[in-house]
Amino acid sequence: IDPRGLVSFEFPSETTLSVAGGQYQSFAQTNTFYFNQVFNYQPQVVVADYLEPERAIHRTFGIEQKTDAFVIKLEGFANDFDRLLEYAPASSGKLFTNAGGIRSRGVEFSVRKDSEGTANEFFGWLSYTYTRSERWRDGAWGNFEYEQPHSLKLVAGYRFGANTIGAQFQLYSGFPYTAIAGSTCSTGYDCSNTSTARYSPSYAANLYGSRYPFSHRLDIRFTRKVPYSWGYFSWYIEIINIYNYAAANEQKWSYNQ
């Protein structure tokens, strides 16, 4: 049973306050190639009747202001995820456990101008989100490997007659990673011999304590929409990542240095 609800109130000034919350539960996926024992291609989660469904609790508070042309909104959120599926310690005699957890806190600001369907008009929206996320790991809260603290998105379009020119720009934080802090001589190699030496990376104690650079992307689109008595026909041409930006997503490591 997952209760969810929302309460909002709009003032005569077209200011709206809202509070919402809800619980969401889901059983872990049973993909044959996920969460399996080695050399056993049966989905082991199916028979693990000791597992509970994974759970998320979402809470938001928002304030929205309408003007003649724009809708401005500020929203705060707090999301907690628990009973997440993880591999169980070998000593437990079980394959999996519901010991995982994530918590996420943040705020989002947005400005939106909706399309009014006129022959010539500008429309679009801008949003910025700040998020702080942590994962429960080894009995303590730590950095979450998929956290992106900053996210900026801009969508803009201009319609003139049957034609629309649009653009979408995204700017967001890179993912965290655990930095390589040094190296050790690989097992079975003599590192005093530079021609045959092999090294293994050693990582910093701060798990996911470093972060890749910001990533960004710009897409542009031209659309033409022609109405007919039976409906309409619309076609478009779009260029994705127009300046071909490739974000850094891995550390560089040379095994012989």
Side-chain angles (χ1 to χ4, degrees), residues 2-244:
D2 288 328
R4 304 164 194 172
L6 179 147
V7 177
S8 66
F9 183 83
E10 182 177 355
F11 295 90
S13 60
E14 293 192 291
T15 303
T16 302
L17 299 178
S18 62
V19 178
Q23 175 175 281
Y24 303 80
Q25 296 183 87
S26 174
F27 283 100
Q29 62 170 308
T30 55
N31 188 313
T32 305
F33 300 99
Y34 197 52
F35 291 128
N36 294 330
Q37 295 186 49
V38 179
F39 306 118
N40 183 345
Y41 294 101
Q42 297 300 315
Q44 299 301 309
V45 177
V46 174
V47 297
D49 55 3
Y50 56 86
L51 293 174
E52 297 181 272
E54 298 179 313
R55 179 173 59 184
I57 298 176
H58 295 188
R59 298 170 292 271
T60 66
F61 172 79
I63 179 171
E64 180 181 281
Q65 178 64 56
K66 295 180 180 178
T67 67
D68 293 337
F70 298 94
V71 177
I72 304 170
K73 187 173 184 179
L74 181 66
E75 186 174 70
F77 58 88
N79 301 330
D80 291 279
F81 307 82
D82 65 351
R83 302 201 305 227
L84 302 184
L85 213 61
E86 291 185 346
Y87 285 110
S91 58
S92 67
K94 299 178 179 180
L95 291 175
F96 313 104
T97 176
N98 288 111
I102 299 172
R103 63 185 182 188
S104 182
R105 307 287 186 266
V107 61
E108 180 175 87
F109 172 78
S110 65
V111 179
R112 185 179 79 248
K113 184 182 187 301
D114 293 328
S115 171
E116 299 175 356
T118 59
N120 299 279
E121 65 173 345
F122 168 83
F123 60 92
W125 54 268
L126 169 71
S127 73
Y128 167 75
T129 307
Y130 173 78
T131 308
R132 178 72 177 108
S133 300
E134 296 177 295
R135 177 185 285 275
W136 180 258
R137 187 186 291 113
D138 297 328
W141 290 104
N143 299 325
F144 180 42
E145 59 268 35
Y146 297 114
E147 180 195 53
Q148 291 181 297
H150 304 284
S151 176
L152 176 72
K153 296 183 179 181
L154 171 64
V155 175
Y158 182 74
R159 178 181 294 109
F160 53 101
N163 307 305
T164 302
I165 295 178
Q168 175 180 258
F169 178 74
Q170 302 178 63
L171 174 69
Y172 41 90
S173 302
F175 287 127
Y177 65 95
T178 305
I180 296 175
S183 62
T184 58
C185 186
S186 298
T187 304
Y189 288 91
D190 178 12
C191 290
S192 62
N193 186 343
T194 57
S195 62
T196 61
R198 293 292 184 270
Y199 299 94
S200 299
S202 56
Y203 293 89
N206 187 9
L207 197 63
Y208 300 107
S210 300
R211 187 177 297 279
Y212 291 112
F214 272 82
S215 182
H216 45 84
R217 193 182 92 182
L218 174 65
D219 310 330
I220 61 172
R221 174 189 287 199
F222 173 79
T223 305
R224 182 171 176 81
K225 180 178 180 181
V226 182
Y228 296 93
S229 59
W230 46 265
Y232 66 88
F233 181 81
S234 181
W235 63 267
Y236 69 88
I237 181 170
E238 183 174 34
I239 303 176
I240 299 173
N241 192 13
I242 187 170
Y243 46 73
N244 195 32

